[in-house]
């Protein structure tokens, strides 16, 4: 525990530095004398403050109480906390917000007994900058932000040192990082703000040198998972229902085109993704989404295993939430159900299970596939062995694996920004043969998982 008197010296030094730092970095914002705008009152007492400024690095209107995963939180045992983001004023050139960590009083919350570490400060958000003022009770005026504030987000890199307090801003790939720290003493107070385009404050850190009493919070950027299973939708007395899932082995171009004709009438209805030795046809016909995959398991072009599916997005059932920004080469390491319990299908939709033996195989310095296996006696035969193939961008593209009911596949589709948007899981034993062509099996076990923000 730090000496409180010593902390006061550090805090006092910081305040002095804050009052004289960073003004030079914000002189591009015009100075205007503004009266202090009172904090927002309940709707019945005052008009609602409406934001006029859009800054892609700050939170949007829907993020009033974003949830953060806790990597460190003083000496508290807590997994997640919320922050409250509230607009309290608006000026000609920007809007003013407060950001507060929502957590009960606890040891370490205050330094020198009166400065609240859970109150991140007032943030003046313009169209290109975010300026912060800490340790102030009243809403700062626009002039106060310009003269006394700390620039914590800017599109240009900068480093400013005022009497030992250094403020460094760096930008990379849509992320702006601001580090504030005392360079005069080793155990000085520090704070870090990481702002990400389209997301807001994605990481916040504060503490003392040598990691004394740290706080480290990372934004939980969950996406909802919706699932569709044809087995839940099939009418097993209706062949037209079973024809929404088909399988066959195509042996030449003619049989391949015949199989595609069951799903698409012309090539304007789909787009083709070719990678890692597989072809995927993704499109929409009338009110149904359509997915067709063709995979050759040999070095020759034919035969190919062909699967096709039709489904309606309205059939989706919300199943879970997915954390898409986990460390490591795999995806889907973080999934939890809506009610907080373990997600029952997590082993099905992760590319690789944690317990499996893995051998990464590369070509020209890039991973092209992973062969994996596990002890089927201990873990069962479901997905006990298989191969995960990576696309040209080294992302999981499709997986072939074996279960007791037969071979199965999983495909992973991404949007233009590289976000995983959908997984297809299919194969096993089909229900019956198509009446006019017994070489085509219908009633295939098919699931899809759709990821939405």
């Amino acid at each position: 525990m730090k000496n409180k008197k010593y902390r006061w010296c550090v805090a006092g030094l910081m305040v002095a530095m804050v009052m004289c730092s960073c003004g030079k970095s914000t002189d591009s914002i015009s100075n205007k004398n503004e009266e202090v705008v009172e904090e927002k009152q309940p709707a019945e007492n005052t008009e609602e403050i409406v934001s006029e400024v859009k800054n892609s690095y700050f939170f949007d209107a829907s993020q009033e109480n974003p949830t953060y995963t806790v990597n460190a939180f003083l000496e508290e045992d807590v997994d997640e906390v919320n922050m409250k983001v509230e607009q309290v004023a608006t000026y000609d050139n920007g809007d003013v917000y407060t950001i507060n960590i929502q957590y009960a009083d606890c040891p370490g919350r205050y330094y020198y007994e009166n400065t609240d570490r859970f109150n991140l400060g007032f943030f003046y958000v313009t169209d290109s900058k975010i300026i912060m003022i800490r340790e102030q009770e009243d809403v700062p005026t626009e002039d106060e932000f310009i003269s006394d504030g700390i620039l914590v987000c800017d599109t240009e890199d900068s480093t400013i040192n005022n009497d030992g307090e250094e403020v460094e801003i760096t930008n990379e790939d849509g992320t702006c990082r601001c580090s504030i720290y005392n360079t005069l003493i080793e155990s000085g107070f520090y704070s870090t703000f990481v702002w990400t385009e389209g997301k807001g404050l994605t990481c916040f850190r504060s503490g003392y040198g040598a990691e004394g009493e740290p706080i480290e919070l990372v934004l939980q950027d969950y996406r909802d998972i919706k699932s569709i299973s044809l087995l839940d939708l099939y009418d097993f007395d209706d062949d037209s229902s079973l024809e929404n899932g088909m399988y066959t082995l195509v042996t030449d171009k003619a049989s391949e085109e015949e199989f595609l004709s069951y799903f698409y009438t012309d090539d304007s209805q789909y787009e083709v993704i070719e990678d890692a030795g597989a072809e995927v046809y993704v499109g929409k016909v009338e009110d149904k989404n359509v997915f067709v995959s063709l995979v050759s398991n040999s070095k020759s072009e034919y035969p190919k295993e062909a699967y096709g599916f039709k489904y309606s997005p309205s059939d989706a059932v919300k199943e879970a939430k997915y954390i898409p920004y986990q460390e490591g080469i795999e995806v889907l390491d973080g999934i939890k159900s809506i009610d907080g319990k373990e997600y029952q299908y997590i082993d099905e939709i992760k590319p690789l299970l944690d317990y499996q033996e893995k051998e990464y195989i590369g070509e020209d310095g890039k991973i092209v596939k992973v062969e994996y296996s596990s002890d089927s006696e201990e873990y069962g035969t479901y997905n006990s062995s298989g191969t995960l193939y990576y696309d040209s961008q080294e992302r999981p593209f499709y997986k072939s694996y074996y279960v007791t009911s037969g071979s199965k596949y999983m495909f992973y589709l991404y949007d233009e920004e590289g976000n995983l948007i959908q997984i297809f899981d299919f194969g096993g034993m089909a229900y019956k043969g198509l009446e006019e062509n017994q070489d085509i099996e219908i009633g295939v076990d098919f699931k899809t998982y759709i990821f939405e923000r």
Side-chain angles (χ1 to χ4, degrees):
M1 184 67 67
K2 303 288 186 299
N3 182 280
K4 290 182 178 178
K5 183 176 181 180
Y6 176 69
R7 283 192 186 175
W8 168 238
C9 294
V10 174
L13 180 62
M14 287 184 60
V15 172
M17 293 173 181
V18 168
M19 296 296 287
C20 63
S21 67
C22 295
K24 294 179 181 178
S25 298
T26 60
D27 56 9
S28 61
I29 302 175
S30 60
N31 291 328
K32 290 181 178 291
N33 292 322
E34 297 282 352
E35 294 182 0
V36 174
V37 179
E38 299 296 332
E39 289 193 15
K40 184 165 60 176
Q41 301 297 322
E44 62 268 24
N45 296 331
T46 185
E47 294 184 2
E48 182 180 0
I49 300 172
V50 178
S51 173
E52 299 292 340
V53 172
K54 301 298 181 184
N55 185 322
S56 61
Y57 284 90
F58 199 72
F59 299 101
D60 62 34
S62 67
Q63 296 172 287
E64 293 182 354
N65 293 283
T67 302
Y68 287 76
T69 297
V70 172
N71 291 338
F73 200 78
L74 306 173
E75 296 183 3
E76 299 295 291
D77 183 15
V78 57
D79 295 327
E80 62 183 33
V81 296
N82 288 88
M83 286 196 190
K84 183 174 180 61
V85 182
E86 184 176 16
Q87 185 180 353
V88 294
T90 186
Y91 299 133
D92 287 346
N93 296 300
D95 303 313
V96 182
Y97 297 82
T98 56
I99 302 178
N100 288 276
I101 299 171
Q102 304 295 288
Y103 192 75
D105 193 8
C106 65
R109 173 174 179 172
Y110 297 91
Y111 50 85
Y112 194 63
E113 298 182 352
N114 60 1
T115 301
D116 188 356
R117 293 180 62 189
F118 292 0
N119 180 357
L120 275 59
F122 290 98
F123 295 82
Y124 182 43
V125 182
T126 74
D127 58 358
S128 62
K129 302 176 188 295
I130 301 174
I131 307 168
M132 176 184 69
I133 286 183
R134 300 170 295 192
E135 303 177 18
Q136 182 165 316
E137 292 185 3
D138 298 326
V139 180
T141 66
E142 189 171 33
D143 284 344
E144 287 177 312
F145 276 111
I146 293 170
S147 62
D148 302 332
I150 299 176
L151 186 64
V152 294
C153 183
D154 191 9
T155 55
E156 297 183 2
D157 294 356
S158 61
T159 300
I160 297 174
N161 191 306
N162 279 322
D163 299 326
E165 182 182 59
E166 189 155 297
V167 181
E168 181 181 18
I169 292 177
T170 57
N171 288 270
E172 184 177 0
D173 297 331
T175 297
C176 178
R177 176 185 295 271
C178 175
S179 299
I180 306 171
Y181 51 93
N182 191 317
T183 61
L184 298 179
I185 50 179
E186 184 177 349
S187 56
F189 189 79
Y190 68 85
S191 57
T192 301
F193 298 83
V194 180
W195 309 89
T196 304
E197 278 194 289
K199 303 181 188 301
L201 182 63
T202 50
C203 181
F204 171 74
R205 298 176 67 243
S206 73
Y208 301 90
E211 296 302 322
E213 297 187 2
I215 293 175
E216 182 173 340
L217 309 176
V218 178
L219 180 66
Q220 289 185 356
D221 188 14
Y222 285 126
R223 294 191 220 168
D224 290 333
I225 297 179
K226 296 182 178 180
S227 72
I228 301 170
S229 172
L230 288 188
L231 290 179
D232 295 333
L233 302 175
Y234 283 147
D235 179 351
F236 289 95
D237 294 325
D238 180 4
D239 279 9
S240 64
S241 167
L242 298 178
E243 289 169 15
N244 286 324
M246 291 186 176
Y247 164 78
T248 193
L249 194 68
V250 297
T251 56
D252 52 30
K253 189 65 174 179
S255 59
E256 179 178 324
E257 291 177 350
E258 179 186 4
F259 186 77
L260 281 172
S261 70
Y262 285 99
F263 298 93
Y264 300 110
T265 56
D266 62 73
D267 57 14
S268 66
Q269 296 174 319
Y270 58 77
E271 62 174 320
V272 184
I273 304 170
E274 293 186 67
D275 215 324
E279 303 158 71
V280 175
Y281 298 76
V282 182
K284 189 167 185 177
V285 178
E286 296 177 348
D287 63 339
K288 288 186 178 292
N289 287 359
V290 182
F291 173 89
V292 176
S293 70
L294 295 152
V295 178
S296 173
N297 289 316
S298 64
K299 293 183 179 181
S300 58
E301 183 178 5
Y302 295 101
K304 297 178 183 177
E305 292 196 71
Y307 288 88
F309 308 100
K310 297 178 184 177
Y311 63 93
S312 174
S314 62
D315 295 323
V317 176
K318 186 178 292 186
E319 293 282 356
K321 287 183 178 289
Y322 157 51
I323 312 171
Y325 300 104
Q326 298 291 320
E327 294 182 357
I329 198 165
E330 321 300 350
V331 294
L332 296 179
D333 284 341
I335 299 175
K336 70 176 187 179
S337 64
I338 297 299
D339 59 8
K341 297 179 182 178
E342 185 177 352
Y343 181 49
Q344 61 177 328
Y345 295 121
I346 187 169
D347 286 352
E348 294 184 19
I349 61 179
K350 287 176 64 175
L352 297 176
L353 304 183
D354 293 336
Y355 58 74
Q356 289 167 329
E357 296 294 328
K358 311 170 191 177
E359 180 183 359
Y360 291 87
I361 299 170
E363 291 180 3
D364 299 325
K366 289 187 176 182
I367 296 173
V368 295
K369 64 181 178 180
V370 181
E371 295 178 349
Y372 64 89
S373 63
S374 63
D375 186 345
S376 59
E377 291 186 4
E378 182 176 357
Y379 297 107
T381 59
Y382 186 88
N383 196 12
S384 59
S385 62
T387 303
L388 174 64
Y389 296 86
Y390 285 74
D391 66 12
S392 55
Q393 299 184 53
E394 291 189 286
R395 303 174 301 193
F397 182 54
Y398 79 93
K399 176 173 66 176
S400 62
Y401 64 101
Y402 176 77
V403 298
T404 52
S405 60
S407 297
K408 296 198 72 172
Y409 289 93
M410 295 185 75
F411 273 86
Y412 307 88
L413 301 187
Y414 303 84
D415 62 16
E416 292 181 354
E417 286 73 40
N419 298 311
L420 181 66
I421 57 172
Q422 195 162 3
I423 288 179
F424 295 87
D425 182 16
F426 50 87
M429 295 178 64
Y431 184 67
K432 61 185 296 186
L434 187 65
E435 185 172 342
E436 63 267 26
N437 185 351
Q438 292 296 314
D439 289 334
I440 296 178
E441 299 175 337
I442 60 176
V444 175
D445 178 9
F446 162 66
K447 296 186 186 75
T448 185
Y449 301 90
I450 304 168
F451 304 106
E452 298 184 348
R453 289 199 179 278

